[in-house]
Amino acid sequence: MKINVPQTAPAGRYEFQARLTPPLGLGAQRDAELSDAPEETSVLSRRVAVVVPAPPAPEKKPFPWWIVVAAALAVLVIGVVTWIVWPEGEPEAATTPQPSVSATPEVSASPVPVVMVAVPKLIGLPPADAKAALAKAGLVAGTVQFGWDNTRGPGAVTRQSLPGGASAAKGSTVDLGVSAAAAKPVISQPVTNSSVPPGRMPVVVWTQPDSWPVRWLLTVQIERCTKSAFGEVCQLTPAVSSQVATAREFTPAMPTLNYATVNNVRDNGWVTVNVHVLDDYGNATEAGSVRVYLEH
């Protein structure tokens, strides 16, 4: 038996059964019976499976890389030809000469004349009178410094930065030095002839009768004793330390004392602390002093 599968049949498995009928030609009567009822004389065959395969996939053509390579070569050739033929730069545009503009000469301002004035003599004047004299002359009073001066009374001008009788530009500044009275500082602590525990120096506190001092000089002297055939003589040494204080309370530095007798000389443990007023020029006035014993 031959099975023709149509080309449009989808792929898959198909099963068939055939009905077999005896051939005709057995007589007219018998052939008529078979023709009227063929199911009674026919026989079904076994199932026959037919597999229709899927059509083969079309062949995949390789990517045409030669097109990409050819395009790259074309771009390269075009670039080289352009670089060779094209000029290096565009021609510069012709510049049109501009008419020159003559500079207008600047007119320099005439200098302002300096007015010179005579500096008045201020030595010996009270500060208020000295400032008034400067203002009248067209000058300005500058810094006022206080100085200790026993040759003049307190509150008199002792110095001026521009000498009297000289010429100076109007508006110049003249600094003044003024004599000032400075009483001795009054030490309230420690009490004189008191003792201080070992390894310490006392805190020195004092008052100042004058209002202008802002700096004080503190010095320390040691009592040093010398033995001789006539006995032992003790006297103060020169200052062994000097310190500047800006407040009315200060602790001086601890001096080094030699209590053992060496070559008939020893320190007896007594020291004197002196407090001097310092003027604006660094000069020291008469000191207020206190004597204390440093225990050891």
Side-chain angles (χ1 to χ4, degrees), residues 161-176:
S161 59
L162 295 179
S167 296
K170 187 176 182 179
S172 298
T173 300
V174 180
D175 297 330
L176 302 176

Side-chain angles (χ1 to χ4, degrees), residues 202-206 218 243-253:
V203 178
V204 181
V205 181
W206 66 92
L218 279 80
Q243 296 170 280
V244 176
T246 55
R248 299 176 186 183
E249 179 178 326
F250 194 80
T251 302

Side-chain angles (χ1 to χ4, degrees), residues 20 28 38 85 110 134 148 182 189:
L20 301 177
V85 176
S110 58
L134 289 173
W148 177 251
Q189 178 184 326

Side-chain angles (χ1 to χ4, degrees), residues 116-121 139 160 162-168:
M116 303 299 292
V117 297
V119 179
K121 296 180 180 180
L139 301 172
Q160 57 184 100
L162 295 179
S167 296

Side-chain angles (χ1 to χ4, degrees), residues 17-35:
Q17 276 185 315
R19 183 178 293 276
L20 301 177
T21 303
L24 300 175
L26 301 178
Q29 185 178 357
R30 182 59 177 168
D31 290 342
E33 294 175 357
L34 292 175
S35 299

Side-chain angles (χ1 to χ4, degrees), residues 24 42 48 54 56 96 99-100 120 132 150 153 161 198 206 228 236-237 264 280 289:
L24 300 175
S42 62
V48 178
T96 303
S100 61
N150 288 326
S161 59
W206 66 92
S228 67
L236 289 174
T237 66
N264 296 323
D280 293 336
S289 301

Side-chain angles (χ1 to χ4, degrees), residues 95-190:
T95 57
T96 303
Q98 299 293 332
S100 61
V101 180
S102 59
T104 302
E106 295 182 0
V107 180
S108 59
S110 58
V112 178
V114 178
V115 179
M116 303 299 292
V117 297
V119 179
K121 296 180 180 180
L122 308 174
I123 303 301
L125 295 179
D129 294 346
K131 292 179 180 180
L134 289 173
K136 184 177 180 180
L139 301 172
V140 179
T143 303
V144 177
Q145 292 181 304
F146 293 95
W148 177 251
D149 190 347
N150 288 326
T151 62
R152 300 180 185 276
V157 174
T158 58
R159 302 182 187 184
Q160 57 184 100
S161 59
L162 295 179
S167 296
K170 187 176 182 179
S172 298
T173 300
V174 180
D175 297 330
L176 302 176
V178 178
S179 63
K184 294 190 301 182
V186 179
I187 298 176
S188 57
Q189 178 184 326

